[in-house]
Amino acid sequence: MKFAIQSRNDATSNELAERAITYLTDFGLELDEEKPDIVLSIGGDGTLLHAFHRYTHMLSEVAFVGIHTGHLGFYADWQPEELEKLVIAIAKEDFRAIEYPLLEVTINYQNSDENFTYLALNESTIKSSEVTLVMDVELNGRRFERFRGDGLCVSTPSGSTAYNKALGGAILHPSLEALQLTEMASINNRVFRTVGSSLILPGHHTCVLKPVKAEDFMVTVDHVQLLHKNVKSIQYRVAKEKIRFARFKAFPFWQRVHDSFIDSDLKD
C-alpha cells in the first residue's frame, strides 16, 4: 500500500508526520505523494481540506484519514496518542471506506462558452464585490426568489457543521445526498422578501444563481477565495464524485456533533 502525508506544518503535526512515515515504512508501506492509496491528514479540519483539494483528481482511488492535533474535528477519527494504533491498523487491516457527497460548483461567463467547475468538501459562498448581493435563485430551472443581502452559502452535508451552522443552517448527517442553501443577512421588508430559511435540496435537484446587476463576484470553494468577472450564472448540485474516508473504528457522527458543540462534561 502507498501512503502520503498532509501536515498542518506546526511543530506537533510535523513531528507526528515524521513518526508516521517511519512507522509505516517499517511495516513495508511506501511513501508516494503522487499516487497514494491512503492520505494521512495531521492537523485540523482545514488540513484535511487542503489534502482533499490536493487529490481531487483521484478521489475514486484514494481514501483519507485524519489525526487531529488540536481539539476534536469532524474529519479526524484519531488523536495524537493513538498514532501507533492507527499505523498498525493501516498496515494490518483492510479498512472500510465511507463515502460522503461533495458539492459541484460550475461558473458560467457572459459572452463565452467557457466555464470552470470546482468540487467543494465543505461549502461554497458567493458575495458581491459591491455592498449588496442581488441574485435570482433558480431551483430546477424555475425562478424561486430574488435574494438581496450579504451573500449566500451552499454547503455539503458534511460541511453543514462549518460556516453553514454559523449562519443558522441545519446540521445534516453526512451520508445524505443533499446540498443546503443558506442566507447571509438577507434584506427583508415591505419591498424585498426572501424565504428566510435554509433550503435543503435532494441530490437530483439543481440550484442556479443568476446575477441581477453586478457581474463580478467573490466566490469561495472551501478555503480558496476567487474573484470571478463577467459571471452569467453559478450552478450548484451534488457532485458525481465522492470523498472516501478510511474507517478503522466507529465514531458516530452525532457523537462528533455532541463533543464539538455540547459540553462533553455535562452530567445527566
Side-chain angles (χ1 to χ4, degrees):
M1 183 185 293
K2 299 177 181 180
F3 71 94
I5 303 283
Q6 181 77 41
S7 172
R8 187 166 58 181
N9 281 328
D10 60 276
T12 299
S13 300
N14 287 341
E15 189 271 334
L16 277 172
E18 290 299 322
R19 286 172 53 197
I21 291 171
T22 299
Y23 293 161
L24 287 168
T25 52
D26 284 348
F27 274 106
L29 278 71
E30 178 183 350
L31 177 63
D32 188 338
E33 301 286 348
E34 297 298 321
K35 293 184 178 180
D37 300 301
I38 191 167
V39 175
L40 277 72
S41 170
I42 303 177
D45 284 347
T47 308
L48 196 136
L49 286 176
H50 281 277
F52 163 74
H53 284 278
R54 182 180 174 187
Y55 293 104
T56 51
H57 62 288
M58 53 181 300
L59 291 177
S60 63
E61 304 165 40
V62 67
F64 299 85
V65 62
I67 301 174
H68 211 294
T69 53
H71 63 277
L72 182 68
F74 278 90
Y75 295 129
D77 291 344
W78 300 83
Q79 298 298 324
E81 61 271 18
E82 298 178 301
L83 175 61
E84 293 184 20
K85 184 178 179 181
L86 172 60
V87 166
I88 293 171
I90 293 173
K92 300 294 186 180
E93 299 178 18
D94 292 328
F95 63 81
R96 184 166 61 105
I98 302 297
E99 295 185 334
Y100 287 168
L102 302 169
L103 179 67
E104 180 188 276
V105 185
T106 302
I107 302 177
N108 301 291
Y109 300 94
Q110 301 282 356
N111 304 316
S112 174
D113 293 332
E114 183 182 29
N115 62 59
F116 282 98
T117 298
Y118 306 90
L119 291 177
L121 174 56
N122 269 2
E123 75 276 308
S124 172
T125 68
I126 178 169
K127 297 180 180 180
S128 175
S129 57
E130 301 179 355
V131 177
T132 301
L133 177 72
V134 184
M135 277 282 187
D136 279 339
V137 179
E138 289 187 359
L139 303 179
N140 300 327
R142 292 190 175 186
R143 185 174 179 272
F144 177 75
E145 68 178 10
R146 177 162 292 180
F147 173 86
R148 290 177 173 85
D150 286 356
L152 291 164
C153 174
V154 185
S155 64
T156 66
S158 57
S160 66
T161 55
Y163 190 30
N164 168 77
K165 181 181 181 298
L167 295 171
I171 295 178
L172 303 185
H173 193 279
S175 65
L176 296 175
E177 294 277 343
L179 58 85
Q180 184 169 182
L181 176 66
T182 303
E183 300 177 352
M184 302 179 197
S186 60
I187 298 173
N188 281 286
N189 52 38
R190 290 183 298 174
V191 179
F192 305 129
R193 179 65 55 187
T194 68
V195 70
S197 298
S198 292
L199 302 178
I200 299 171
L201 308 182
H204 62 286
H205 285 199
T206 300
C207 174
V208 176
L209 306 181
K210 292 185 175 180
V212 175
K213 294 181 180 179
E215 297 177 349
D216 299 346
F217 301 95
M218 294 303 303
V219 179
T220 68
V221 178
D222 290 331
H223 60 287
V224 180
Q225 181 170 279
L226 306 161
L227 174 63
H228 288 271
K229 295 180 175 290
N230 302 314
V231 173
K232 180 181 179 181
S233 66
I234 304 176
Q235 175 181 278
Y236 295 101
R237 65 183 180 185
V238 176
K240 295 178 181 178
E241 300 88 345
K242 293 179 182 292
I243 186 172
R244 301 167 68 239
F245 288 99
R247 284 286 157 77
F248 298 96
K249 62 177 181 178
F251 195 170
F253 173 73
W254 296 116
Q255 184 65 45
R256 295 173 191 249
V257 173
H258 174 273
D259 291 350
S260 294
F261 300 118
I262 301 172
D263 184 2
S264 59
D265 295 327
L266 186 65
K267 304 300 181 182
D268 293 335

